[in-house]
Amino acid sequence: MDAPGWLAVLPHGERIAFSLRTAAVPVVVTEDIESAVEAAELPVVLIGHFTGAPAAVRYAQTHSGLAALILVSPVLGMWDGASDELADLMDEVNFGPALGTLPTLWLHGSDDEIVPISDTRAGTDRIRGSAFEEHITDGLLTDGEAVTRVLEFVRRVV
């Protein structure tokens, strides 16, 4: 399998990173998004998974140069389990700018009880840009389904 011509950067999400690597995608998992993006020699697709999503969105709101943004079961909008630091970051995201023309994909499972879809939708509706897509699966979102959707999306937009 040929390696894709893009780099996945994740601030969090080892399971998704493992599945992407299995699909021959080059992956960097780091909290230092800016350094990873600056060092990249390929177009960067920033992937915010679970509690890594607010950092990914905030980076996309305040920086240019990303090829795409993907949100996998993201903690956005409202979330009762957030630490003070995460809650503050979520507020910055919620009151930050929309994502404009940045190709963005939101993946979520309809039955996710840890990150309820209604709470997340409150956040995605605030940041939704003109190139925003969503894919909600019945039941729970599996890593395999997430990676399949990521690959399909990136093939179209990068």
Side-chain angles (χ1 to χ4, degrees), residues 1-4 20-25 151 155:
M1 178 184 293
D2 292 329
L20 287 167
R21 287 182 184 114
T22 301
V25 175
L151 295 174
R155 276 189 209 107

Side-chain angles (χ1 to χ4, degrees), residues 81-158:
S83 66
D84 289 343
E85 183 180 352
L86 182 58
D88 289 347
L89 182 56
M90 289 170 64
D91 284 345
E92 289 178 28
V93 167
N94 289 336
F95 297 105
L99 295 170
T101 60
L102 178 65
T104 304
L105 175 64
W106 169 34
L107 301 171
H108 213 106
S110 63
D111 293 342
D112 191 332
E113 293 180 7
I114 296 172
V115 183
I117 196 168
S118 59
D119 295 351
T120 296
R121 186 174 296 284
T124 59
D125 285 350
R126 289 184 180 139
I127 62 169
R128 184 180 301 267
S130 61
F132 191 95
E133 299 178 27
E134 63 182 68
H135 178 80
I136 309 303
T137 62
D138 289 334
L140 295 175
L141 179 67
T142 65
D143 292 347
E145 168 125 13
V147 169
T148 297
R149 297 293 177 178
V150 166
L151 295 174
E152 291 171 353
F153 178 73
V154 174
R155 276 189 209 107
R156 282 190 293 110
V157 302
V158 174

Side-chain angles (χ1 to χ4, degrees), residues 8-13 28 30-34 37 44-76 86 89-90 92-94 97-99 102-105 127 132:
V9 174
L10 295 89
H12 168 78
V28 173
T30 180
E31 291 182 15
D32 189 355
I33 298 168
E34 187 168 14
V37 171
V44 172
V45 175
L46 184 55
I47 301 175
H49 175 246
F50 191 54
T51 58
V57 173
R58 191 64 186 145
Y59 182 88
Q61 287 175 321
T62 58
H63 295 80
S64 60
L66 294 174
L69 174 66
I70 298 173
L71 305 170
V72 181
S73 301
V75 172
L76 293 173
L86 182 58
L89 182 56
M90 289 170 64
E92 289 178 28
V93 167
N94 289 336
L99 295 170
L102 178 65
T104 304
L105 175 64
I127 62 169
F132 191 95

